[in-house]
């Protein structure tokens, strides 16, 4: 079982996200991550979906997606060299005496402090899934109060489309 990152170009219409996610659920495929936003084409949105399965599962997902009327194009990004990123905001307990230690972790990950409260910091980190997971693991001992992440967005490297 491997992770697959799939880009799906769809008509920007109400209900499309529900139909795509419903297809995964009906077929018993889990969505590990999904991001959706406008694409470079007016009237079209791009979904980036991360799912786990074998090659047969991936092929089945692609065939089923093409059966949906609002789906324009499906690309398995993970079969090409790609750039994949996600963003996380992590609110950490941070008494003034502990802040230098926490800031050391933040600097190591090239992250940024985006808010400072009396007893907390909000850290923003951008990177691949492993980087986000590693940063969260190192911040756990300080006390993570809230954790929010976007999910993966990705593109094929270089000029290929």
């Amino acid at each position: 079982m491997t992770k697959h990152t799939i880009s799906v170009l769809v008509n920007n219409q109400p209900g499309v996200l529900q139909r795509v996610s419903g297809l995964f659920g009906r077929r018993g495929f889990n969505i590990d991550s999904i991001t959706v936003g406008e694409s470079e084409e007016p009237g079209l949105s791009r979904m980036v979906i991360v799912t786990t399965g074998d090659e047969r599962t991936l092929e089945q997902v692609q065939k089923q997606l093409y059966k949906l009327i609002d789906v324009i194009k499906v690309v398995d990004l993970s079969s090409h060299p790609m750039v994949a990123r996600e963003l996380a905001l992590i609110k950490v307990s941070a008494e003034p005496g502990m802040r230098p230690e926490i800031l050391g972790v933040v600097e190591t990950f090239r992250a940024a402090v985006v808010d400072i409260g009396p007893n907390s910091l909000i850290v923003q980190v951008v990177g691949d899934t492993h980087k986000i997971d590693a940063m969260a693991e190192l911040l756990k001992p300080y006390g993570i109060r809230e954790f929010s992440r976007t999910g993966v967005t990705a593109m094929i490297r270089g000029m290929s489309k």
Side-chain angles (χ1 to χ4, degrees):
M1 300 291 262
T2 57
K3 284 203 183 278
H4 297 281
T5 304
I6 304 164
S7 173
V8 185
L9 196 62
V10 297
N11 288 318
N12 191 354
Q13 299 289 330
V16 174
L17 175 61
Q18 180 182 4
R19 286 191 288 283
V20 169
S21 62
L23 179 148
F24 275 76
R26 283 191 309 278
R27 301 287 177 216
F29 306 136
N30 189 42
I31 294 174
D32 297 331
S33 166
I34 186 168
T35 58
V36 184
E38 291 180 352
S39 75
E40 69 282 1
E41 306 262 344
L44 299 180
S45 291
R46 184 173 316 280
M47 297 180 178
V48 177
I49 302 168
V50 178
T51 188
T52 304
D54 56 20
E55 292 302 317
R56 186 175 172 280
T57 301
L58 177 66
E59 185 179 329
Q60 193 69 16
V61 165
Q62 289 175 314
K63 286 179 181 176
Q64 295 297 320
L65 284 169
Y66 272 119
K67 289 182 180 180
L68 297 177
I69 195 160
D70 287 308
V71 172
I72 309 301
K73 186 176 182 182
V74 179
V75 177
D76 176 17
L77 299 176
S78 49
S79 69
H80 305 280
M82 70 174 183
V83 175
R85 297 288 182 269
E86 71 179 295
L87 174 134
L89 295 175
I90 308 169
K91 185 183 285 184
V92 183
S93 296
E95 298 300 324
M98 296 303 293
R99 289 183 183 177
E101 279 184 49
I102 295 169
L103 292 174
V105 173
V106 169
E107 287 175 26
T108 300
F109 281 85
R110 295 188 185 137
V113 173
V114 294
D115 183 69
I116 299 174
N119 299 351
S120 66
L121 298 172
I122 297 179
V123 176
Q124 170 187 290
V125 59
V126 177
D128 63 25
T129 301
H130 301 295
K131 179 179 179 178
I132 306 285
D133 293 342
M135 175 125 191
E137 196 60 36
L138 286 176
L139 291 174
K140 269 185 190 173
Y142 301 102
I144 294 177
R145 292 185 178 177
E146 280 185 74
F147 185 82
S148 179
R149 65 197 302 171
T150 59
V152 174
T153 191
M155 288 183 175
I156 296 173
R157 289 185 178 274
M159 294 300 293
S160 57
K161 198 172 181 186

